[in-house]
Amino acid sequence: MAKKSSLNVLYLVGMALVALGFVLPIFQFSSILGKHQFTGFDLVGDGDTALKIYTLLIFIGGIAGVVLSFVKVQNAKLLKLAALLVSIIGFVLVVVSIVHSDGAAIIKGLNLGKKTVSFIFKSLYAGSYMIVAGWIIAIAGFVTGK
């Protein structure tokens, strides 16, 4: 008989999608100068300090979830949940940070000013959708254990 694998594949795939979505364009804004696409690393490089930390939480949560899928540790299930929550909370904080900007140049000298939540969600791009799909898959994998 074959030995049953304890690898939670759905959770692993979901968190890998989160990490991969971070390197793809997350936001796309249009201005007079054209369209501006920003990956997670663009936000880390050009944002204010709080925005950098919030953005890194998304990537760190995704990478931690992938690593925890392969490493045997005590309380692995709790740590996997924590990695997933860190990633989700980081994304929420990024959106809140951009919405509540005070007109300062946040990204690459682009003055976004105060924006509404609907504007931010209309500006989501492929990386954002991949991150959200990754969370959904990871949650399904976490809950089912498959």
Side-chain angles (χ1 to χ4, degrees):
M1 296 199 93
K3 183 179 176 185
K4 184 179 177 188
S5 173
S6 63
L7 184 65
N8 188 338
V9 177
L10 280 178
Y11 180 84
L12 172 63
V13 168
M15 294 308 274
L17 284 174
V18 170
L20 181 62
F22 187 82
V23 300
L24 295 175
I26 295 176
F27 295 109
Q28 175 176 303
F29 298 104
S30 296
S31 71
I32 315 170
L33 303 173
K35 292 185 179 182
H36 307 278
Q37 295 179 346
F38 303 102
T39 67
F41 290 114
D42 290 336
L43 293 175
V44 171
D46 295 328
D48 63 354
T49 305
L51 185 64
K52 289 178 185 182
I53 293 169
Y54 303 154
T55 306
L56 280 176
L57 288 176
I58 301 167
F59 187 66
I60 290 169
I63 293 297
V66 170
V67 169
L68 286 169
S69 293
F70 292 107
V71 177
K72 297 264 186 201
V73 293
Q74 290 181 345
N75 299 326
K77 191 162 182 139
L78 181 63
L79 291 173
K80 287 180 179 180
L81 179 62
L84 179 62
L85 290 176
V86 162
S87 179
I88 293 170
I89 290 169
F91 192 81
V92 169
L93 290 173
V94 166
V95 170
V96 169
S97 178
I98 291 174
V99 167
H100 292 296
S101 67
D102 59 354
I106 293 181
I107 308 163
K108 290 190 177 185
L110 181 63
N111 189 348
L112 297 175
K114 285 199 168 209
K115 299 297 177 190
T116 62
V117 175
S118 64
F119 171 81
I120 297 299
F121 283 107
K122 288 177 186 174
S123 302
L124 295 179
Y125 206 62
S128 297
Y129 298 123
M130 187 174 280
I131 290 171
V132 172
W135 290 333
I136 293 169
I137 293 169
I139 290 170
F142 182 80
V143 171
T144 63
K146 295 183 179 184

